[in-house]
Amino acid sequence: MQSLSQFLDQMPKPMLREMHAKAYEKKGLIHNALILSEVEQFFSGIPRAQTFFLSLEPWQQLCLSAIYNSRNRGLETHEIRLLVTAEHRKKLDAFLLEAVRNLYLYREKNPGRTSFVYHGFLDFMGIFQVEMHPYEAASSHWFHYEMLEWHICLVLSFAKLGKLRVNNSRALHRRSLTICEDAFTHSRNVSPEAAADEILLIFHFLLSKEWLLQKESLLVPSASAFTFLNRNGFRLRTEFLKWWIDERFSGDKTSLFHFFRQMKEPVRASGAARLFWPLDPVTRLQESGQTVFWSGTSRVLRELWLMGYLDFAVAQHRIQGVRLTELGRELLTESVEIPKVAPPSALPNFEMILPASSPPRLLFLTACLAEVKSDEPFLRFVLERSVYLRGLQSGFSEEDVDHFMNWNHLPENVVATLSEWASSYFDAKLSTVRLLKISKPEVRKSLSRFDHFMECVIEEIPSYGFILRPEKEMAARELLKHYGLEPGIQETEELAVPLDAKQCNKDFILPLPPSGEVDYAFRMDSDTEDFSQMLGTTKYGRDFCKLETSDLFKVLRYAQMMGSPLVARVRSPEHPKKEKQEIQFNVKSIHLSKNPYHVIAESPSQEAFFPLYLDNIEEIKLLHS
């Protein structure tokens, strides 16, 4: 986005004179600096913009509001078409051009594409906003979700225990995905699809921060992940939020606050979906006042709920209302309240209860050493010998075990039993170690006094060298460079390497329209003028045509996305000689998982739903292209 002043500074001088004449209805010899000043003064007037917005039809207000809510992203022409019904689509291009000519919008043209990208001016932010309808149902169940930190620790524990793998394309293995989905059960109260979105969000964070690395086919936690949890675990939420704002808003926190200010009071779910839609414009908006499903909302809105900054009012997997949580209000006002965390509770029967808001290092350690039995705000764990030993074998020290017992305030009988289990592992240990031999005694002595280096060491071997911690080996190599030492790596050694987060989680990335040159011509684009005529000769046109199955799939998906009605000539399988029947319908849902392929069609006249099998469709056409 840019200001009107910046836009006018780059406008060609002849065009600037035309805008001046349009504003003041006079022409003559006027100094260029005076022209620029007067044009900016006229077109940046707030009362003029408010009067214009109030004079618009609802669908025009919706389009203008969406463009301004897209912030720096902007909206392409084909994305704006998703906002309007078929009857208004023909008027859309003319309306957008008129808004550009009157300097309520500006647009960019990319030479490689046929459509424009529309942006708003900073001068009019907060003016072109469709009213948000309050949500006032008193009996709704507000569902708060504050499990993200726990789930990050849980995913790291899965990696620590060797449960996460990548496939040949370096994406998360399907079995590993299933393990995580089965563990993330708390979000199913809102939608069965929520767990998959949260997994995508968490993995992109962990891979971007290089807290998960690839070692052969396994995903393993990095040393930096352990260091952060141990030293700065209390900042995990802050670290995650900073990363997320960088990903979704290019680091601009004010853009997030722009949306939060409009939801200080509970609002209808359809209004919240409309507010966030420009950030992820891939589906058609539902009508105002209706409830929405999880999949019908923007990914940004869903992620804010997963992060605990929004509450959803939910009934039968339908989202009815949205409101800011206390956490969201604190972020908006930039105030900090120290959270009150209930202490962990342990019972003599080897059960443990931990709040999901417990310190991350405690959550991670407990998830590795105990069996997780629930996914609720108060987590339940059970200590079992096989699980406990498996956790120790993943690489924990006796010091870690002592911390685990002290933090959880375990009963005496549980402490005695855990000590007995641990002794069977620590008293006799067979492992492959990394030996570092230092030939020079003075260097060896200096390293033994270097605290940062000794953090990477399990044990010092007199007159020889050191046994290195495997997870700290790379850090030790970096420290050795300061002593002029660079030990070689054996060819058979497999080191953990970072993964490209964008390559592994392509679905996480929200597509952005390409940037181009600002358009000052203010002419109707020939491509948009002749859009319908061009489609007329294709499968998306207004003429009946017989389509192959793959093309029929594409037309049905297009009609569902754009909300365009269809007319099909359908034969009856019971009476093949009977004359084909023409039916008009809208596509409600498409079912292509197994034969017979069919769609759930909606009759516009009877407002009824019926199945329409694709094998019975002889010819089809779009009623509105």
Side-chain angles (χ1 to χ4, degrees):
M1 297 181 75
Q2 60 179 329
S3 67
L4 189 59
S5 175
Q6 293 170 318
F7 178 80
L8 293 174
D9 279 342
Q10 301 300 321
M11 179 177 281
K13 295 300 184 290
M15 189 65 192
L16 193 60
R17 287 183 175 275
E18 288 186 21
M19 298 302 295
H20 186 273
K22 178 179 180 180
Y24 294 98
E25 298 181 354
K26 61 181 180 180
K27 293 184 179 181
L29 296 175
I30 308 175
H31 194 274
N32 285 337
L34 183 59
I35 290 178
L36 179 61
S37 174
E38 291 184 349
V39 169
E40 181 182 348
Q41 182 180 1
F42 177 83
F43 285 101
S44 62
I46 300 302
R48 170 179 169 270
Q50 292 173 332
T51 303
F52 168 74
F53 189 67
L54 293 175
S55 68
L56 299 178
E57 297 180 33
W59 69 270
Q60 294 171 324
Q61 291 181 344
L62 179 61
C63 293
L64 205 58
S65 174
I67 293 170
Y68 272 83
N69 283 332
S70 68
R71 307 290 290 182
N72 293 322
R73 180 192 187 279
L75 288 177
E76 281 195 87
T77 310
H78 70 87
E79 293 171 336
I80 303 174
R81 286 197 183 102
L82 293 173
L83 289 170
V84 299
T85 59
E87 61 180 309
H88 294 132
R89 207 163 292 148
K90 291 181 180 179
K91 306 175 185 176
L92 177 63
D93 296 316
F95 163 69
L96 293 175
L97 180 59
E98 189 64 22
V100 168
R101 286 173 175 170
N102 286 288
L103 300 191
Y104 298 115
L105 300 173
Y106 72 95
R107 61 186 186 180
E108 296 176 350
K109 180 65 178 290
N110 190 297
R113 301 172 74 95
T114 59
S115 61
F116 291 102
V117 180
Y118 290 86
H119 296 271
F121 289 108
L122 293 173
D123 308 66
F124 304 133
M125 285 301 301
I127 296 176
F128 299 141
Q129 293 295 331
V130 176
E131 182 183 359
M132 300 283 284
H133 296 288
Y135 179 74
E136 299 173 346
S139 59
S140 293
H141 172 61
W142 287 98
F143 199 84
H144 181 53
Y145 193 77
E146 201 167 356
M147 307 289 286
L148 186 68
E149 292 166 288
W150 152 241
H151 286 161
I152 291 174
C153 296
L154 185 59
V155 169
L156 287 173
S157 75
F158 288 154
K160 180 73 172 174
L161 298 173
K163 295 182 179 181
L164 302 182
R165 294 181 177 273
V166 291
N167 54 28
N168 293 334
S169 61
R170 304 188 80 185
L172 187 65
H173 195 278
R174 184 177 297 178
R175 174 59 185 156
S176 301
L177 185 63
T178 302
I179 290 173
C180 295
E181 286 183 341
D182 291 343
F184 294 5
T185 59
H186 192 52
S187 58
R188 292 177 186 171
N189 295 304
V190 172
S191 171
E193 302 169 337
D197 283 342
E198 187 176 9
I199 292 167
L200 192 68
L201 179 66
I202 289 174
F203 270 95
H204 201 80
F205 168 72
L206 295 176
L207 293 174
S208 299
K209 301 289 289 183
E210 295 188 3
W211 286 7
L212 281 182
L213 303 175
Q214 181 184 0
K215 189 172 185 180
E216 296 180 343
S217 64
L218 288 174
L219 285 176
V220 296
S222 66
S224 60
F226 293 130
T227 302
F228 185 90
L229 291 181
N230 288 329
R231 296 180 179 177
N232 303 300
F234 65 94
R235 291 198 301 107
L236 180 57
R237 173 172 290 279
T238 306
E239 190 76 11
F240 190 95
L241 177 64
K242 180 180 180 301
W243 166 84
W244 184 81
I245 292 176
D246 287 340
E247 290 285 331
R248 293 306 191 211
F249 295 101
S250 301
D252 182 15
K253 189 186 290 187
T254 58
S255 293
L256 177 61
F257 291 170
H258 163 76
F259 295 103
F260 276 8
R261 289 189 192 98
Q262 299 183 60
M263 295 193 298
K264 289 183 178 179
E265 300 299 329
V267 297
R268 295 180 188 175
S270 58
R274 182 177 63 241
L275 180 65
F276 284 92
W277 178 88
L279 303 176
D280 184 21
V282 294
T283 58
R284 288 191 62 82
L285 284 174
Q286 298 190 36
E287 294 180 10
S288 179
Q290 294 182 346
T291 58
V292 296
F293 288 101
W294 177 270
S295 58
T297 61
S298 163
R299 265 184 284 177
V300 177
L301 179 62
R302 287 178 276 181
E303 288 166 1
L304 284 169
W305 179 80
L306 290 169
M307 293 160 62
Y309 295 104
L310 296 178
D311 278 350
F312 285 171
V314 182
Q316 298 179 347
H317 297 311
R318 291 176 179 267
I319 304 170
Q320 298 176 326
V322 181
R323 69 180 180 187
L324 277 180
T325 63
E326 287 302 318
L327 205 60
R329 294 180 186 277
E330 288 177 17
L331 181 62
L332 181 60
T333 58
E334 297 186 337
S335 61
V336 178
E337 291 188 12
I338 299 176
K340 297 179 181 179
V341 181
S345 174
L347 303 175
N349 64 350
F350 293 83
E351 284 194 5
M352 299 167 54
I353 305 296
L354 265 74
S357 54
S358 298
R361 60 178 180 174
L362 175 59
L363 294 173
F364 169 72
L365 194 57
T366 307
C368 291
L369 298 178
E371 185 75 21
V372 182
K373 291 295 185 180
S374 70
D375 189 52
E376 300 290 337
F378 286 91
L379 306 166
R380 187 169 70 91
F381 300 87
V382 174
L383 291 163
E384 297 177 358
R385 188 177 190 277
S386 59
V387 177
Y388 190 72
L389 290 178
R390 183 185 64 196
L392 295 180
Q393 291 165 5
S394 67
F396 288 105
S397 64
E398 292 183 79
E399 182 182 4
D400 295 326
V401 173
D402 291 339
H403 288 324
F404 172 72
M405 294 182 182
N406 294 331
W407 290 337
N408 285 301
H409 309 294
L410 301 176
E412 292 183 5
N413 69 310
V414 177
V415 171
T417 303
L418 292 184
S419 299
E420 181 183 344
W421 293 348
S423 66
S424 65
Y425 173 73
F426 289 116
D427 290 354
K429 186 175 181 181
L430 181 65
S431 62
T432 301
V433 297
R434 300 289 287 169
L435 289 176
L436 173 65
K437 181 179 180 180
I438 304 295
S439 301
K440 296 181 178 181
E442 63 273 14
V443 176
R444 189 167 57 246
K445 185 176 180 180
S446 177
L447 286 172
S448 65
R449 296 176 178 175
F450 187 16
D451 292 339
H452 286 295
F453 178 78
M454 294 305 293
E455 290 179 0
C456 306
V457 171
I458 297 176
E459 188 175 345
E460 182 181 357
I461 303 175
S463 304
Y464 185 87
F466 307 90
I467 301 176
L468 297 179
R469 296 181 184 273
E471 69 274 12
K472 297 288 186 71
E473 181 176 337
M474 295 307 296
R477 289 180 183 276
E478 290 297 319
L479 294 173
L480 288 172
K481 291 180 181 179
H482 297 291
Y483 291 83
L485 301 175
E486 296 191 29
I489 301 176
Q490 299 178 9
E491 292 183 0
T492 57
E493 181 181 3
E494 289 288 345
L495 294 177
V497 296
L499 280 169
D500 185 355
K502 293 183 179 179
Q503 180 181 353
C504 296
N505 287 338
K506 294 178 181 178
D507 293 338
F508 177 82
I509 307 299
L510 294 178
L512 297 175
S515 58
E517 297 181 356
V518 176
D519 172 54
Y520 289 102
F522 299 168
R523 290 195 298 266
M524 178 69 76
D525 186 32
S526 59
D527 290 324
T528 56
E529 283 181 328
D530 301 330
F531 186 68
S532 298
Q533 286 84 341
M534 289 189 300
L535 289 178
T537 58
T538 70
K539 58 179 173 285
Y540 299 107
R542 298 184 179 184
D543 302 325
F544 275 112
C545 53
K546 188 175 181 65
L547 301 176
E548 297 291 338
T549 304
S550 59
D551 287 335
L552 185 56
F553 289 169
K554 294 176 182 177
V555 170
L556 291 171
R557 288 196 182 100
Y558 173 83
Q560 183 188 27
M561 182 179 69
M562 300 299 292
S564 298
L566 294 159
V567 179
R569 289 175 178 166
V570 181
R571 61 178 174 82
S572 172
E574 292 83 9
H575 306 91
K577 295 184 180 180
K578 190 176 179 181
E579 186 177 351
K580 301 180 185 68
Q581 180 185 5
E582 284 191 11
I583 59 172
Q584 179 181 338
F585 64 96
N586 289 80
V587 179
K588 191 68 176 176
S589 59
I590 304 175
H591 302 271
L592 307 177
S593 57
K594 61 181 180 179
N595 270 319
Y597 303 138
H598 68 283
V599 299
I600 300 300
E602 180 182 9
S603 172
S605 57
Q606 301 176 0
E607 296 184 355
F609 300 100
F610 60 92
L612 179 59
Y613 293 94
L614 272 56
D615 290 340
N616 299 337
I617 298 177
E618 288 289 323
E619 295 177 306
I620 197 168
K621 72 173 182 178
L622 283 164
L623 198 58
H624 302 293
S625 296

